[in-house]
Amino acid sequence: MKIYNTLSRKKEEFVPVEPGKVRMYVCGPTVYNLIHIGNARPMIIFDTVRRYFLYKGYDVNYVSNFTDVDDKIIKKAQEEGKTAEEVSSHYIEECKKDMESLNILPATTAPQATKEIDGMIDMIQTLIDKGFAYVAEDGTVYYRTRKFQDYGELSHKNIDELEAGHREIQVTGGEQKEDPLDFVLWKPKKEGEPYWDSPWCKGRPGWHIECSVMSKRYLGDTIDIHAGGEDLVFPHHENEIAQSEAANGCTFAKYWMHNGFLNIKNEQSSKYEKMSKSTGNFFTVRDVLEKYDPQVLRFFMLSVHYRSPLNFSAELMEAVKSGLERIRNAAELLRDKAASAQGDALTEEEKGLVQEAEGFRKKFEEAMDDDFNTADAVSSIFELVKFSNTQAAREGHTKAFYEALLKELEELSDILGIKTEKEEELLDAQVEALIQERQDARKAKNFARADEIRDQLAAQGILLKDTREGVKWTRA
Ligand code: AMP
Ligand code: ZN
């Protein structure tokens, strides 16, 4: 099995730290808003990586965090008159609902930064004791970047070029750093911000130290795979390596995996650009689930290689939707045929055909073994669909034969987290999305649309109740 490692810029054979086990850490979202579909890309990709390892018989310890202390969360809390904790815990719950609807397996552990502060203080203290960090006059703790020999290795950046890029910051920042390249491990609190006691000042951790600590606590000092979107390579992952390797004295992660961006058209320039909350050019998962089955969104993410950029468009979503329907129709046809056919044993001819069908599984595995090429893996599922439709059109096969083909189709789809059965019931996230749309319609005095949504939900057995705390809903 080969994995493209950002560190070596090569595909490398996967050799686990411990035979039969995979320890994997995926940087999770900062929770101050509903997640957008750009955030969903790494979630779906690395969930698929995990599923493939499971299929191959590995025991996978999968850790993915929530960053729940951050300037953006604090800002949102101040705007809404809430505490940062209220904001983050709300969006963690909402994020979990979206993940469930996208058929993302719950992480083995999903730690929250605010609950791991003791570990962060310990690691920062170790870095100070080893001379890799220092305390400035105001209590800020900085990492002494130049002391770490391998700095820049992951992002393939030369430290002197980096220094040139940072010089400006030093002039304008007025910070108490020894060197512009140094980054924050602990910072003093500001008025109205959440804070924790520490040996240096009342304050809070920097973002990078959080992941180093949570990865160490739940997976150990050396892990197999560390992953996230490509924007995290520098500085986030570079800094994580500097912190963890200096503190622990060993390799932090053997394989670094990064997904490409999900892009969206900028209406003004007509060019595709990275989907991002800060530019305001994004769709939340909920927006998309109003129009599409969550399985379509999942399938969309798997339709191209994870390292390639992916442009979100209605045309591509429609194409993916009909592709998914082709798979589901093939499965349904096999189920119908199996229900009415007889014969529990394969005929000699059918044995040969089943072997032929297993050839598609081999192709699927070859694609996945080659750095998780889901695009090619999906193609082999379509080949199986075509083969299966041709066979199903012929009369006289045994029940055992239809069942064998169905099993192939279901198993391969399942590795990608794709369900071959249509889901009839609305998922929680879809209900919430419709309720939100109804609220918006009411605000815009579009009562006809609001009533239509209420009726649509009622038809699905969802009952709405308007309360002072907002709309509550139950399943009948
Ligand atoms: P954030 O909440 O911004 O820290 O992002 C959480 C995860 O989503 C990180 O792994 C990011 O790299 C990833 N991410 C954010 N935007 C995009 C995008 N447009 N395309 C792909 N991945 C993204
Ligand atoms: Zn991280």
Side-chain angles (χ1 to χ4, degrees), residues 47-48 168 247 271 350 364 386 393:
D47 176 66
T48 307
E168 216 176 306
K271 285 199 184 115
E350 285 172 347
F364 178 100
K386 195 168 158 215

Side-chain angles (χ1 to χ4, degrees), residues 25 27 65 207 211 226 236-237 240:
Y25 186 96
C27 291
N65 68 295
W207 172 37
C211 289
H226 197 112
H236 187 52
H237 288 164
E240 281 189 43

